[in-house]
Amino acid sequence: MGGVNIGEYISLIFMAAALGMDAFSVGLGMGMQALRLKRIFIVGVSVGLFHMLMPFLGIALGRFISTKIEGFAILGSGLLLFALGVQMLLASFNRDDKKLIRPIGLGLILFSISVSLDSFSVGLSLGMSGVRTVLAIVLFGWFSAVLTWSGLLLGRKARGLIGVYSELLGGSILCAFGLRIIFG
């Protein structure tokens, strides 16, 4: 494997896990709706696919932007990741009891998009930094699907406490990667 940058692989794995933490957290809440195992599988696959589509669109747009504004691309991507991390951290403290949508039909698509929107922004910043597209997309989709399934299954057993901590961890990881890009 010539030209392999192990640091890039490790960074992408941690970033994929951080993005998946959001899906895990939301899955915990949704899992408390006592979903059947077949529905849990479908929800995980849907979230995983959208966590592949959204960053792909972001990476493509980010690469286009980076060719136009080379000097600001790295700083912009670091600031964007840091801002996403801060937003995730703040969201973990804002706990209003909203009624969750049912993960069926249009509700499933809306749920998957809403959980995957942060992946678009991360993809945008990654596109500006020139990351390996296929690797990033596969990792984001896989981690999101597995963490969604885990959250849904644990949500059947737990009562919301873990969700706050997973969002805190995910937000902290995104902040750390943003700072690493800015100062690294």
Side-chain angles (χ1 to χ4, degrees), residues 30-117:
M30 184 167 282
M32 292 182 202
Q33 295 182 8
L35 302 172
R36 298 174 67 175
L37 290 178
K38 179 181 176 185
R39 179 59 46 194
I40 287 173
F41 177 77
I42 292 170
V43 170
V45 168
S46 178
V47 169
L49 288 174
F50 274 92
H51 265 86
M52 292 171 74
L53 175 66
M54 298 302 266
F56 174 74
L57 296 174
I59 287 171
L61 183 59
R63 287 211 171 127
F64 172 75
I65 290 172
S66 71
T67 61
K68 305 295 180 205
I69 54 169
E70 299 249 0
F72 298 105
I74 300 299
L75 179 62
S77 65
L79 289 173
L80 188 56
L81 279 176
F82 184 78
L84 284 169
V86 168
Q87 185 272 332
M88 250 178 111
L89 287 170
L90 293 175
S92 71
F93 294 109
N94 185 12
R95 291 277 155 217
D96 11 349
D97 291 331
K98 299 179 207 165
K99 184 172 179 150
L100 295 172
I101 57 174
R102 297 287 302 163
I104 300 169
L106 182 59
L108 175 61
I109 292 171
L110 292 175
F111 171 74
S112 298
I113 289 173
S114 68
V115 172
S116 304
L117 279 177

